Amino acid sequence: MDHDEFRRLGHRVIDWIADYRERMATLPVMSPAKPGEVRSRFPAAPPARGGGVPAALAALDRDLLPGITHWNHPSFFAYFPANASYASVLGDLLCAGLGAQGMSWQTSPAATELEEVVMEWLRQIVGLPAAFQGVVQDTASTSTLCALICARERATGLAQRHRGLQSGAPALTVYASDQAHSSVEKAALLAGFGRDHLRLVGTDAQHALRLDLLEKEIEKDVAAGRRPCALVATVGTTATTALDPVAGMAALAERHGAWLHVDAALAGMAMALPECRWMWEGVERADSLVWNPHKWMGVGFDFSAYHVRDPELLTSVMSTSPAYLRTARDGEVRNLRDWGIPLGRRFRALKAWLHLLDEGVEGLQARLRRDLDNARWLADQVDAARDWDRLAPVPLQTVCLRHIPTDQRDEKRLTAHNLAIAERVNRSGKAYLTPSVLKGKQVIRVSVGAEATGRAEVEALWKMLKAAARAV
Ligand SMILES: *Cc1c(COP(=O)(O)O)cnc(C)c1O
């Protein structure tokens, strides 16, 4: 492909994206594709001869679009929002176009320094103290893995440099709530703690971690000669956006010399609103914190913000400095390869930078308030409806509800009934939501927050849910 062809095709790609977004609302939100359906449209062997890109663009609509679930659709209410604003799309395009690899400062100083600028802006936006330094990771899963590895290394005086976890030292334990994201369990296992040393502590009626139970678990471990190593507080759990008591957990972490990691993957964005900051009171006492601008904020996947209070520890744990990576500037600059697991790094700061320039903090705040308001509205409708139940508080933008037909108390039947409602809505293509199970109860989970979702879509969803409940 030469420059001119790139120009020609590139314009077509941009037009295709804009056309796609313009008509997205008319497409079925959840892909109706069956397993193997997309794969069967492609040749089994690679092309022998080149020149096939123009034809591929034509095949986008025919072969790939049916296999796409439209995360930016105005009636996307599943999982958590993963918005990709136009501005961030342009940033990603520039990142790809520059093709720069930002593993070290020297390998593209702008990639490192714009990331420093953007992470500092994000710190200010969510109101973290200046003591926190930030770095971009691909996902919250990776950020939490980094946190637990650092917790392990701090507790063992950097044992990785000697016998690692094989020195026969006391077992290290990790604590999170039974509502913590699966990435916390995965990180604990990958970081070598072992499932036997992961405590998933019980939660209260609001689905938040119970401090009294946490304290008991810790005391039991200490009495048995184990060492409490890390506490993970979730601010905004995935099921219901429950808020763990960060300040209380910080006090326990401090008392036992344990690491406190805060997982605010979705809810971190809400802290751009001063009226939400009470939700993570005590956060300034955390050792590390992750939130995902690639969720509610609108920065296209993948962009996870990882903030730490002790970057020196992070770089001690993560750095390897073989001769071929060393440069004369190493003493004066950040080499972001030492701030996480991968060596190679994309220039992700571009998409966040453009997104922030486009929306401004006030634009972000207005959109967040709109979504909070819409979720509140839906919660109020559910509360006012006699045969609908709300199963969790709504501090943010997720509403967990279920339909209870008159006199129906049988959990099995309620499960089947509510699954059928969700399935009917999803199969209609008009909206997409995810059913979930909350402490044994089947719920329909409505997560508001796609960039294009307004009150009209939330009202339409409520109508659809009621109609589906009558029909199934
Ligand atoms: C979405 C989510 C995660 C995982 O995010 P990834 O970036 O996909 O790894 C972790 N924790 C919570 C609370 C989440 O909601």
Side-chain angles (χ1 to χ4, degrees):
M1 190 178 297
D2 61 20
H3 299 306
D4 283 335
E5 192 182 8
F6 176 75
R7 238 182 224 109
R8 219 168 32 245
L9 293 176
H11 284 286
R12 276 178 57 195
V13 167
I14 293 288
D15 280 339
W16 187 91
I17 295 172
D19 290 345
Y20 162 66
R21 295 255 173 146
E22 226 164 24
R23 70 194 169 93
M24 188 187 293
T26 66
L27 300 171
V29 195
M30 182 183 78
S31 165
K34 307 253 174 341
E37 202 174 304
V38 175
R39 197 169 53 233
S40 70
R41 291 166 178 265
F42 290 81
R49 259 177 278 144
V53 176
L57 287 189
L60 259 180
D61 289 292
R62 189 186 64 229
D63 298 330
L64 288 174
L65 209 54
I68 296 293
T69 289
H70 308 290
W71 284 69
N72 291 268
H73 192 291
S75 293
F76 182 94
F77 297 104
Y79 305 99
F80 275 146
N83 293 308
S85 73
Y86 267 144
S88 89
V89 170
L90 293 178
D92 244 347
L93 199 62
L94 289 171
C95 168
L98 287 169
Q101 224 272 43
M103 58 189 182
S104 308
W105 179 86
Q106 188 78 79
T107 61
S108 273
T112 296
E113 296 192 9
L114 186 64
E115 183 164 329
E116 290 174 337
V117 170
V118 163
M119 285 306 302
E120 168 58 19
W121 288 0
L122 292 178
R123 179 192 69 75
Q124 292 177 29
I125 287 173
V126 300
L128 285 175
F132 283 88
Q133 311 255 337
V135 60
V136 182
Q137 305 285 357
D138 54 3
T139 57
S141 304
T142 301
S143 301
T144 296
L145 176 58
C146 288
L148 292 190
I149 292 172
C150 286
R152 181 192 78 195
E153 290 307 306
R154 191 178 74 179
T156 58
L158 291 171
Q160 64 175 11
R161 295 185 180 170
H162 314 287
R163 297 175 66 187
L165 292 181
Q166 311 197 62
S167 66
L172 303 173
T173 46
V174 177
Y175 308 81
S177 93
D178 61 19
Q179 297 292 306
H181 190 266
S182 57
S183 58
V184 175
E185 178 180 7
K186 187 169 183 171
L189 299 190
L190 290 177
F193 290 93
R195 185 169 273 118
D196 290 354
H197 304 126
L198 172 65
R199 314 275 175 254
L200 296 180
V201 177
T203 43
D204 61 20
Q206 327 256 294
H207 313 292
L209 176 137
R210 272 180 56 182
L211 274 177
D212 58 325
L213 295 181
L214 173 62
E215 192 165 3
K216 262 194 208 130
E217 290 277 3
I218 292 178
E219 278 165 9
K220 216 164 63 189
D221 283 325
V222 171
R226 292 181 285 265
R227 233 182 115 185
C229 177
L231 276 52
V232 181
T234 308
V235 177
T237 60
T238 313
T240 69
T241 69
L243 309 164
D244 284 350
V246 178
M249 292 177 75
L252 278 172
E254 282 155 13
R255 192 181 322 150
H256 293 277
W259 187 280
L260 178 63
H261 175 60
V262 174
D263 176 2
L266 171 96
M269 183 70 265
M271 307 310 159
L273 301 176
E275 66 267 29
C276 286
R277 295 219 177 124
W278 62 268
M279 294 182 194
W280 71 7
E281 197 205 321
V283 72
E284 67 285 349
R285 293 153 75 185
D287 293 288
S288 58
L289 175 144
V290 61
W291 67 284
N292 279 348
H294 70 222
K295 281 184 167 161
W296 200 0
M297 180 171 172
V299 178
F301 190 83
D302 52 346
F303 191 111
S304 179
Y306 182 54
H307 303 269
V308 294
R309 248 199 343 207
D310 184 357
E312 238 168 85
L313 176 75
L314 176 63
T315 55
S316 304
V317 171
M318 296 291 168
S319 85
T320 52
S321 207
Y324 51 84
L325 290 177
R326 273 178 231 143
T327 72
R329 299 287 190 188
D330 284 354
E332 309 160 51
V333 297
R334 274 186 194 182
N335 287 316
L336 292 176
R337 65 167 192 268
D338 296 338
W339 289 61
I341 296 168
L343 168 63
R345 309 184 85 254
R346 301 195 308 128
F347 193 171
R348 293 193 189 91
L350 279 168
K351 57 186 171 184
W353 173 55
L354 288 190
H355 181 68
L356 283 166
L357 290 183
D358 188 47
E359 290 225 31
V361 176
E362 289 170 8
L364 284 175
Q365 289 172 326
R367 193 159 53 73
L368 295 171
R369 290 191 175 113
R370 175 201 68 177
D371 296 342
L372 292 173
D373 211 44
N374 285 339
R376 193 67 255 162
W377 177 86
L378 179 61
D380 289 343
Q381 307 312 304
V382 175
D383 291 351
R386 263 189 45 241
D387 48 351
W388 289 82
D389 215 4
R390 184 160 60 80
L391 289 100
V394 181
L396 293 166
Q397 43 59 272
T398 298
V399 186
C400 291
L401 46 91
R402 66 175 183 167
H403 184 241
I404 304 187
T406 321
D407 297 334
Q408 187 56 264
R409 284 286 168 270
D410 181 65
E411 276 303 324
K412 258 206 190 120
R413 293 226 177 113
L414 283 175
T415 295
H417 179 66
N418 280 279
L419 280 175
I421 294 173
E423 156 100 352
R424 191 176 175 92
V425 170
N426 290 346
R427 256 192 306 116
S428 78
K430 299 256 185 286
Y432 181 27
L433 37 77
T434 23
S436 180
V437 177
L438 189 57
K439 295 186 182 156
K441 288 182 178 165
Q442 183 64 52
V443 298
I444 296 173
R445 188 176 161 286
V446 178
S447 179
V448 178
E451 197 183 5
T453 304
R455 176 63 59 84
E457 283 77 19
V458 181
E459 284 178 7
L461 175 72
W462 178 229
K463 270 202 194 121
M464 264 183 260
L465 282 167
K466 286 189 294 186
R470 280 191 299 271
V472 299

